[in-house]
Structure formats: C-alpha cells, structure tokens
Amino acid sequence: MGILAHSLHNYSGTKDIRFGGTTISWPTNLNLYPTYLFLATSATSVAPSLLAAFLNVRRRKIHSCSTMEKALAFVSGVLVLIWIAADLTQGVSERTPKADILSWACRRRDSPTNVLVSYASVCDEQQAVKYLALVITVAESGALVVSILVWHLVKRWSGLVKEPWRITA
C-alpha cells in the first residue's frame, strides 16, 4: 500500500506541469483504474489476512472449524478472485500503449522532463507493485488451498481418532 500511495503522490504532485500552455508531464486521459484497484485490494486484504493468521495461531481445538474461520476462508477466496482481477486489469492496461501510469512512466523513463517528474521512480514502484501483486495472489491462493485441505483431512481423521484423554461418564 505504501508503494502505491507514494507512486500516486508522485503522479498527483506532477500531473499539471505545463510548458508553453501544454501539459508535459502526464496525459489527461491516463487510466488510473489498475492502480486504484491494487490499492483498494491491498487495503481490504490486510484485516482478513491478519485475523486469519491470529486465529490459526490461537486455535485450541484442531478438529473443529469455527464459523469465523469458515467466513474467513470465504473472504479469502473472494480476495483471491479480486487479486486475480487486479492482476488481469493491469495486464490488459499494459497492452494499450501509454494508457496507464506504469506504461507511461516506463516509456518516459529517460525523458528530458525526468528532472521535473521522476518517471523512473514511478516506473520502478509500479513494476514492484505488479510483481508483488502476483506473489500475493499465489500466496493467498496457496494459503486458501492448504487451509481447505487441512480442514478436509482433519474432518476425515476426526472420526478415526479416539480421544483417550477425555473421561466420559
């Protein structure tokens, strides 16, 4: 989130640089949707991810799955789909020349106006966000698959394992 916020700050602070009545920094029809989608997705992913990690650490009964954990698994699945959508949106936007902040900044990396607008910095930040989003998508997908597999196996094994430490009267 910090990288995206810094990148958007650089963009908004330099989007209206003019020379001779012409804007020389950023085009007026720049597509910021992929950047905003990444920012919104990362912001909404923080709380469920931290809560899921906390619940996994604090779990006392391994053979049960609470309603909260099921809800978090559902939310995690939805977030995986949103991350995939954000990754695809960025990929489609990159195919259109000069359409989004990443492609525009990277094409102008060595521009003479780089003194006024740090295109290289924005390009590097946007590329880092793109690759981090792919890593997060794979990690979230992996965590979701592992948690579903563990819940399935535990449910299967719970019927087979007796609990000798419990005294029943």
Side-chain angles (χ1 to χ4, degrees), residues 133-144:
L134 290 172
V135 168
I136 290 170
T137 303
V138 170
E140 280 283 339
S141 301
L144 182 62

Side-chain angles (χ1 to χ4, degrees), residues 23-165:
T23 302
I24 61 169
S25 55
W26 301 96
T28 55
N29 59 349
L30 194 64
N31 182 10
L32 295 176
Y33 181 71
T35 305
Y36 287 135
L37 186 58
F38 276 136
L39 188 61
T41 304
S42 62
T44 56
S45 296
V46 171
S49 297
L50 290 175
L51 189 57
F54 176 75
L55 286 177
N56 283 330
V57 169
R58 300 280 300 168
R59 180 182 289 184
R60 291 196 176 122
K61 293 186 278 183
I62 193 142
H63 63 276
S64 67
C65 177
S66 71
T67 305
M68 177 66 84
E69 289 169 326
K70 290 176 185 175
L72 281 172
F74 175 76
V75 170
S76 182
V78 170
L79 287 173
V80 165
L81 294 176
I82 294 172
W83 275 111
I84 290 170
D87 292 334
L88 291 175
T89 301
Q90 179 63 46
V92 169
S93 182
E94 281 180 45
R95 291 192 182 132
T96 307
K98 303 178 186 175
D100 66 331
I101 194 168
L102 172 65
S103 62
W104 180 261
C106 291
R107 280 182 173 68
R108 307 221 8 154
R109 172 181 215 104
D110 298 324
S111 170
T113 59
N114 204 15
V115 174
L116 303 172
V117 181
S118 63
Y119 292 117
S121 173
V122 173
C123 175
D124 292 341
E125 289 170 351
Q126 290 290 316
Q127 284 181 337
V129 165
K130 180 175 82 170
Y131 295 127
L132 284 172
L134 290 172
V135 168
I136 290 170
T137 303
V138 170
E140 280 283 339
S141 301
L144 182 62
V145 167
V146 166
S147 67
I148 289 171
L149 284 174
V150 166
W151 289 340
H152 176 71
L153 291 174
V154 165
K155 186 177 177 183
R156 254 182 113 184
W157 291 340
S158 67
L160 302 173
V161 176
K162 303 294 182 206
E163 299 178 12
W165 60 86

